[in-house]
Amino acid sequence: MSTARKHGESHSISKEVIVQNKLGIHARPSAMFVKTASRFECDIFVAKDGEEVNGKSIMGLMMLAAGPGCKLLVRAEGVDALKAIEELESLLRRKFDED
Amino acid sequence: MQRDVVTVEKFYTANETPLDLNLVAGANGLKRIIREPTVNRPGLALAGFTRYFASKRVQVIGNAESHFLKSLPAGQRAARYKALFGHKIPCFVFSRQHRPDKLFLKLAEEANIPIFTSSLITMKFINLATLSLEMMFAPRGTELGSMVDILGVGVIIRGESGIGKSESVLALIERGYSLVADDVTKVTLVDGRDVMGTSSDLTRDHMEVRGIGIVNVAAMFGVRSIRHEKKVDLIVTLKLWDQVPDVDRLGMEDQYVRILGVDVTHVTIPVRPGRDLARLIEVAAFQAKLKASGYNPASELNQRLIAKMTGDKTL
């Protein structure tokens, strides 16, 4: 891991996503998001209306109260940022396997 | 799950004092097995109706049976005795200090069926004996893990050896909670629904602390630091951080493990150096207590969140 960090290139990627599941990002989706995010080494942040929280914190995500239709800006910084953004975006697109 | 074989001897040893049992005949039959966890008053059998006679149970001769036998003509009485002793009966108890007559004692000796007397009145004897037999017949087993009573919540702490169970238990005792069992907890199913935990008689009040040795908890921390038995309300499994692929981050849905066929709430706490395990176990116990009272903090918070997101102002 540490060698990857040394040699790998650090990325900073942002992507806008829209909350599509019926109930918005409530407890269960927050947990899923955080679980997915925590698998990656990069730092992940989620912003809504200019308020940014740590994407690996359940309480932070829940605090955003991102209801259906909300625009979120997901930002990842680190070697695996690209992959992280891809997976998180897919999670939102899949509506957290909920609806 | 195992069930112990309950011999008359076992019943006698466990209840000699509480039931005031005196063995008056048939000592050779103490190895007889009691096959049903209750007692029977053999009134109808004594009256000659032996169909459906619950012969596998402890037979109790109370006031009525005793006087009925006395009222019979000698010949008839002898015949009834013979019929009775033709059954495979575990033992007889004469309550209210009634004494069996000579013939009864002689037949009991010949048939190797133990006869006891008790000073208790029949009703009281039946109640106590039934409770005691229920306990003896209860399904039992052992759980690998230490058990602590945390503010009324019985918690079994499981985990691989060396993960920090004993240290956690010690820290919990220091906080004023009590030890039920160290390392191995004996569990018994009570009334088919509650799992009771206790320690083995031999190791009670003691625990082993790596590097220090055997510690007598009662002597070291005082009598409030120990507890004989406690209902098992929660199982906490300590697991190394990297061995927990799926940590429950919300605690919204309860997880369970089956013990003696009963579902007991289960939480897994990931272990990492520097985590205050005792504190975490303590909070897990409080959380279990709150949830048992019908309050789930995660669901409550979630409902507020959903209400906010969907614009419902009623919550």
Side-chain angles (χ1 to χ4, degrees), chain A residues 2-63:
Chain A
S2 58
T3 48
R5 183 171 270 165
K6 261 180 223 158
H7 300 299
E9 217 177 312
S10 187
H11 303 275
S12 177
I13 303 163
S14 297
K15 182 117 195 185
E16 200 172 69
V17 290
I18 290 171
V19 181
Q20 294 175 38
N21 61 318
K22 227 185 284 165
L23 288 174
I25 302 202
H26 60 99
R28 212 176 307 273
S30 299
M32 283 176 84
F33 191 100
V34 166
K35 238 177 232 174
T36 308
S38 300
R39 290 211 316 268
F40 296 96
E41 233 188 287
C42 58
D43 292 325
I44 293 168
F45 303 93
V46 182
K48 184 195 140 201
D49 304 331
E51 194 172 18
E52 191 174 67
V53 297
N54 188 340
K56 295 180 181 181
S57 150
I58 286 190
M59 295 311 274
L61 277 177
M62 283 171 74
M63 200 204 75

Side-chain angles (χ1 to χ4, degrees), chain B residues 267-303:
Chain B
V267 296
T268 305
I269 296 184
V271 175
R272 200 140 73 166
R275 289 198 110 192
D276 183 352
L277 286 178
R279 183 71 191 136
L280 291 170
I281 295 166
E282 189 184 24
V283 171
F286 293 169
Q287 177 90 324
K289 201 171 179 176
L290 260 181
K291 280 187 180 172
S293 72
Y295 176 75
N296 186 320
S299 306
E300 193 252 10
L301 179 58
N302 197 29
Q303 270 171 22

Side-chain angles (χ1 to χ4, degrees), chain B residues 7-19 21 132 136:
Chain B
T7 59
V8 175
E9 188 170 28
K10 196 168 165 189
F11 174 72
Y12 177 43
T13 324
N15 293 296
E16 189 175 357
T17 319
L19 292 178
L21 290 173
S132 163
M136 287 180 174

Side-chain angles (χ1 to χ4, degrees), chain B residues 50-234:
Chain B
T50 51
R51 249 161 74 199
Y52 308 113
F53 175 40
S55 59
K56 292 173 182 165
R57 305 176 182 174
V58 172
Q59 305 295 323
V60 181
I61 311 275
N63 228 8
E65 291 83 358
S66 206
H67 284 105
F68 170 73
L69 287 172
K70 276 184 197 142
S71 76
L72 291 176
Q76 205 177 7
R77 187 160 59 225
R80 296 281 160 80
Y81 285 178
K82 286 218 169 77
L84 200 59
F85 282 101
H87 288 89
K88 283 185 176 163
I89 288 165
C91 67
F92 283 96
V93 179
F94 285 70
S95 57
R96 280 180 173 259
Q97 218 58 288
H98 283 296
R99 294 276 311 176
D101 57 28
K102 277 198 185 110
L103 178 61
F104 198 94
L105 290 172
K106 184 171 160 267
L107 289 169
E109 284 293 355
E110 281 169 15
N112 287 329
I113 295 179
I115 310 289
F116 300 95
T117 61
S118 166
S119 60
L120 298 184
I121 63 163
T122 315
M123 186 195 72
K124 184 136 200 212
F125 177 88
I126 289 175
N127 287 347
L128 292 174
T130 309
L131 284 177
S132 163
L133 284 165
E134 280 279 356
M135 275 308 284
M136 287 180 174
F137 274 80
R140 56 192 71 228
T142 44
E143 281 295 311
L144 295 182
S146 306
M147 183 167 176
V148 181
D149 171 10
I150 301 175
L151 220 69
V153 183
V155 184
I156 291 182
I157 303 164
R158 304 200 300 199
E160 281 169 35
S161 88
I163 203 156
K165 286 186 304 255
S166 294
E167 289 88 332
S168 310
V169 170
L170 268 182
L172 287 165
I173 291 169
E174 290 241 281
R175 279 171 209 250
Y177 307 123
S178 14
L179 175 77
V180 181
D182 178 46
D183 220 28
V184 178
T185 305
K186 299 197 139 203
V187 287
T188 313
L189 186 66
V190 181
D191 295 338
R193 93 203 123 124
D194 287 341
V195 179
M196 293 297 285
T198 186
S199 81
S200 86
D201 293 331
L202 188 67
T203 57
R204 177 156 300 133
D205 307 347
H206 290 75
M207 61 184 291
E208 190 243 347
V209 185
R210 219 152 293 192
I212 296 173
I214 305 287
V215 168
N216 183 328
V217 173
M220 195 175 272
F221 298 98
V223 73
R224 75 165 193 180
S225 64
I226 46 158
R227 177 156 183 170
H228 194 113
E229 61 169 12
K230 173 74 190 81
K231 187 184 149 213
V232 180
D233 301 292
L234 176 69

